[in-house]
Amino acid sequence: MPSVAFYTLGCKVNFYDTEAIWQLFKNEGYEQVDFEQTADVYLINTCHVTNTGDKKSRQMIRRAVRRNPDAIVAVTGCYAQTSPAEILDIPGVDLVIGNQDRDKIMQFVHEIEQTRQPINAVRNIMKTRVFEEMDVPDFADRTRAFLKIQDGCNNFCTFCIIPWSRGLSRSRDADSIIKQAKQLVDAGYKEIVLTGIHTGGYGDDLDNYRLSDLLWDLDKVDGLERIRISSIEASQIDDAVLDVLKRSTKMCRHLHIPLQAGDDTVLKRMRRKYTTEEFLTKMKLIREAMPELAITTDVIVGFPGETDEMFRNGYNLMKEIGFSEMHVFPYSKRTGTPAARMEDQVEDEVKNARVHELIDLSEQLQLAYAEQFVGRIVEVIPEREYKGGPGGKMQGYSDNYLQLVFDGGPELEGKLCRVQITQAGVNECQGELISVHENGLAAAL
């Protein structure tokens, strides 16, 4: 039986794409082995968000070539898309394929087996207007299924290389999404996470069908309990989406909305399409539509030209919004982006001090958010046994994105449990199991 090994760098979308490529190999009778083992084919799915992503990608490619010099080494993903020649220069690389045409990967593999000639299958992604259809019917993580609905981005923020490696925004056909959602529900999944490079941009390239229409169509899927959006821009949460948040019983009380910076000058230089005032107003509207929801965010610290005062403005805004968690990143230069060429780069020392300050704030806000729910009952889908202490406990996320640990065994995995929160914490809360829903019926303990 031929074997294939995968190594994935970067974001959730890349992990989804790797799973989809694995399905193609699986259908041709391949078995998957660990990347550290000898395989007939190695596939490295690369990341291009930072210069470090490129470097790590090259390391992993060389590692695969060393592990089995006779293997077919294939490279895909964002770094492959933008720098195919650089990758083909690495001795031992057989196939470079970008972020498109991956449904043809097996044809390329068979061709290389016959000819042993390297293939550069990368095309200009800026000309691609069609969503690459690849399904993932099953995930190793049994409780949440990811469903990719969109690829690419039209924003061209000054710090970001992604539009050049993923192309412009393109949406997946709605019928195909609903069909895949039903298959996932039939396979036992109760929660679907909608994912993409710019997920909220879904529908921008479609006629008269928006993200809100898709959410209502998913709301009608029987057996689907929870719909979560992996990330959405504030500007994409329009009145129609607010209406879904208000009225759908399946939408999770959690949104990840990237702020990136909390100062208008910095936002303008980043080429973000909102002011702090607009962002704040939108957060208030979201909370009116869905009270008590968790809003998590991404923040870039030390963007070129960020002064102490600009940083302070951001700090105060984040505190005022009251995010339930913040993912904080020091700005890192991305070769090829306008921000990397800006004059007034911030020193690393200053960046690191600011990062720590925001991480402290994030932890305060996380705890404050969790404390509101002590004594309350939330719905949790346990994902795995708790590893952080004595046995006999399970852990999973509530619909409002609190990580909960409570007494129970592996038989609860993937079931909808009602759990009372007994103690709040920064990264995890303690709870007590109240009841378990068996196919929509509550079984009291």
Side-chain angles (χ1 to χ4, degrees):
M1 185 187 264
S3 58
V4 60
F6 297 98
Y7 195 93
T8 308
L9 296 109
C11 64
K12 288 224 167 68
V13 177
N14 259 12
F15 280 86
Y16 180 95
D17 291 344
T18 299
E19 286 282 341
I21 295 167
W22 158 235
Q23 304 300 325
L24 303 174
F25 277 93
K26 193 155 115 183
N27 293 343
E28 296 231 357
Y30 276 75
E31 67 164 336
Q32 188 177 154
V33 298
D34 190 80
F35 193 77
E36 300 302 322
Q37 290 175 281
T38 305
D40 300 309
V41 179
Y42 290 95
L43 184 124
I44 297 96
N45 194 349
T46 59
C47 175
H48 192 51
V49 161
T50 60
N51 292 353
T52 328
D54 292 359
K55 192 173 153 195
K56 184 82 199 271
S57 300
R58 288 194 296 272
Q59 279 173 350
M60 299 322 293
I61 294 163
R62 291 198 183 94
R63 187 178 292 184
V65 174
R66 279 200 305 272
R67 181 109 330 116
N68 181 6
D70 298 328
I72 291 177
V73 175
V75 184
T76 186
C78 292
Y79 178 41
Q81 179 64 51
T82 45
S83 316
E86 218 170 275
I87 291 171
L88 276 169
D89 277 349
I90 300 173
V93 172
D94 298 289
L95 170 64
V96 183
I97 187 164
N99 285 323
Q100 53 195 353
D101 302 328
R102 289 182 287 200
D103 47 350
K104 303 191 186 80
I105 203 158
M106 298 317 298
Q107 290 156 262
F108 291 126
V109 167
H110 296 318
E111 194 181 319
I112 292 163
E113 282 168 347
Q114 301 303 314
T115 64
R116 289 311 305 203
Q117 292 298 310
I119 296 175
N120 178 354
V122 176
R123 290 186 294 123
N124 179 357
I125 199 144
M126 285 311 191
K127 292 188 172 148
T128 299
R129 291 289 178 273
V130 182
F131 182 88
E132 178 186 52
E133 281 282 345
M134 292 196 299
D135 273 351
V136 181
D138 198 4
F139 294 82
D141 182 350
R142 284 292 310 152
T143 56
R144 281 198 273 177
F146 287 84
L147 180 46
K148 184 175 161 186
I149 62 168
Q150 181 279 344
D151 207 333
C153 181
N154 301 348
N155 270 14
F156 295 95
C157 298
T158 55
F159 52 81
C160 185
I161 199 85
I162 292 306
W164 306 108
S165 51
R166 282 278 174 180
L168 298 174
S169 186
R170 45 207 187 277
S171 306
R172 183 173 182 174
D173 175 67
D175 294 340
S176 149
I177 295 174
I178 302 302
K179 187 174 150 219
Q180 171 76 18
K182 286 177 175 164
Q183 283 172 346
L184 290 166
V185 170
D186 291 344
Y189 292 98
K190 290 186 168 56
E191 179 178 328
I192 287 178
V193 184
L194 302 178
T195 184
I197 291 297
H198 199 58
T199 315
Y202 181 84
D204 285 352
D205 54 339
L206 302 176
D207 289 335
N208 298 321
Y209 192 82
R210 321 296 300 160
L211 179 64
S212 49
D213 300 312
L214 176 65
L215 294 173
W216 281 125
D217 283 343
L218 285 166
D219 184 81
K220 297 185 191 94
V221 174
D222 283 341
L224 177 59
E225 305 266 0
R226 285 183 181 180
I227 303 162
R228 202 183 285 277
I229 302 170
S230 64
S231 180
I232 187 166
E233 294 288 342
S235 57
Q236 291 161 339
I237 303 170
D238 54 16
D239 290 346
V241 173
L242 286 169
D243 184 51
V244 181
L245 295 178
K246 197 179 211 158
R247 294 193 298 125
S248 164
T249 54
K250 296 188 179 181
M251 292 300 297
C252 286
R253 288 180 300 170
H254 167 232
L255 289 172
H256 184 79
I257 309 172
L259 171 65
Q260 304 301 14
D263 175 87
D264 288 337
T265 312
V266 182
L267 286 171
K268 207 168 187 165
R269 290 182 60 134
M270 286 180 163
R271 210 185 290 150
R272 301 289 288 167
K273 297 183 170 66
Y274 48 83
T275 63
T276 51
E277 182 80 11
E278 287 163 350
F279 194 94
L280 189 58
T281 305
K282 190 61 65 83
M283 297 307 109
K284 288 174 181 163
L285 287 170
I286 292 164
R287 288 199 167 116
E288 277 167 28
M290 193 181 251
E292 297 187 332
L293 90 161
I295 302 177
T296 55
T297 197
D298 295 327
V299 183
I300 293 172
V301 173
F303 187 77
E306 183 185 71
T307 62
D308 280 340
E309 187 191 353
M310 292 170 194
F311 171 73
R312 202 51 53 208
N313 290 342
Y315 184 96
N316 294 334
L317 179 74
M318 291 163 214
K319 205 168 175 176
E320 186 180 349
I321 291 169
F323 290 112
S324 58
E325 188 182 354
M326 309 192 304
H327 301 176
V328 184
F329 306 93
Y331 168 74
S332 76
K333 271 189 188 182
R334 185 68 200 87
T335 314
T337 60
R341 298 190 291 275
M342 288 178 182
E343 297 284 296
D344 34 11
Q345 300 287 328
V346 176
E347 287 174 26
D348 284 351
E349 245 169 274
V350 175
K351 269 192 246 184
N352 292 338
R354 289 178 188 170
V355 165
H356 286 299
E357 214 176 319
L358 282 187
I359 289 172
D360 288 347
L361 176 63
S362 175
E363 291 188 350
Q364 288 167 33
L365 295 175
Q366 259 172 287
L367 189 59
Y369 178 74
E371 278 171 344
Q372 306 172 67
F373 293 92
V374 173
R376 303 264 291 278
I377 292 172
V378 291
E379 291 189 335
V380 180
I381 301 177
E383 289 181 20
R384 61 183 77 86
E385 288 182 73
Y386 178 59
K387 299 280 189 283
K393 286 182 183 287
M394 295 295 288
Q395 70 181 61
Y397 283 100
S398 64
D399 72 305
N400 61 334
Y401 214 58
L402 292 170
Q403 168 100 281
L404 273 151
V405 177
F406 56 94
D407 286 341
E411 71 284 352
L412 294 174
E413 200 172 295
K415 291 183 175 163
L416 198 65
C417 299
R418 296 179 76 236
V419 176
Q420 184 168 29
I421 298 179
T422 52
Q423 192 187 337
V426 172
N427 292 315
E428 56 193 36
C429 300
Q430 304 298 318
E432 199 176 298
L433 183 60
I434 302 294
S435 63
V436 184
H437 284 250
E438 302 281 353
N439 303 327
L441 300 169
L445 296 172

